[in-house]
Amino acid sequence: MSDRLKQGKRKFEELYGEGKADGLIAMQTGLAQDLARYGIEFNFGDIYSRPGLTLAQREMITLGALVALGGLEPQLKGHTRGALNAGLTPTEILETVIHVVQYSGFPRALNAIRVVTDTLVECGAEIPEPLGPS
């Protein structure tokens, strides 16, 4: 196993739990496993392992990018879990989605906030009350 893959697995499992990196690879069939391995090596071995940002900051940025791109609900769900595991609060996660609305538009943000809220509930997180007028 390459050093990049070892480092990537360590960082991935820091976010998602022991054995989850191998599980991600095993979810794919045959040659498709190479793509999952590349993702772990590059995304988590190279990018997520860089100094300069905390794991929580990286997850906040990732959530914002996923919201802006739209249509990536499985990844948004996974990174919401990762953001909680990295130490972000439900408020910080939801505020990230709200902040991105100005760049991504309401349809993407509304779709994303539903996925994020449902995931937070699944994870047992308490959803904060609205801050606006009632």
Side-chain angles (χ1 to χ4, degrees), residues 10 16 27 34 84 101 123:
R10 277 194 299 272
Y16 300 110
M27 286 173 49
D34 287 345
L84 283 171
V101 71
C123 291

Side-chain angles (χ1 to χ4, degrees), residues 76-134:
L76 185 58
K77 187 173 187 171
H79 281 283
T80 298
R81 286 190 198 107
L84 283 171
N85 293 338
L88 290 176
T89 66
T91 298
E92 291 169 324
I93 294 168
L94 291 163
E95 284 290 342
T96 299
V97 178
I98 291 168
H99 180 78
V100 174
V101 71
Q102 61 190 316
Y103 303 104
S104 67
F106 275 91
R108 284 190 174 141
L110 285 170
N111 290 342
I113 209 147
R114 178 80 271 147
V115 171
V116 168
T117 301
D118 290 348
T119 304
L120 290 171
V121 169
E122 287 172 17
C123 291
E126 188 173 324
I127 305 302
E129 292 297 321
L131 300 176
S134 48

Side-chain angles (χ1 to χ4, degrees), residues 49-86:
S49 296
R50 292 175 55 82
L53 295 172
T54 66
L55 199 52
Q57 289 168 328
R58 290 181 188 284
E59 280 301 288
M60 187 179 282
I61 293 165
T62 300
L63 289 172
L66 291 171
V67 171
L69 287 168
L72 300 168
E73 286 77 14
Q75 292 78 12
L76 185 58
K77 187 173 187 171
H79 281 283
T80 298
R81 286 190 198 107
L84 283 171
N85 293 338

Side-chain angles (χ1 to χ4, degrees), residues 13-34:
E13 292 177 357
E14 189 177 334
L15 273 177
Y16 300 110
E18 189 175 334
K20 296 295 185 176
D22 288 331
L24 178 68
I25 294 169
M27 286 173 49
Q28 302 300 324
T29 303
L31 193 58
Q33 290 180 340
D34 287 345

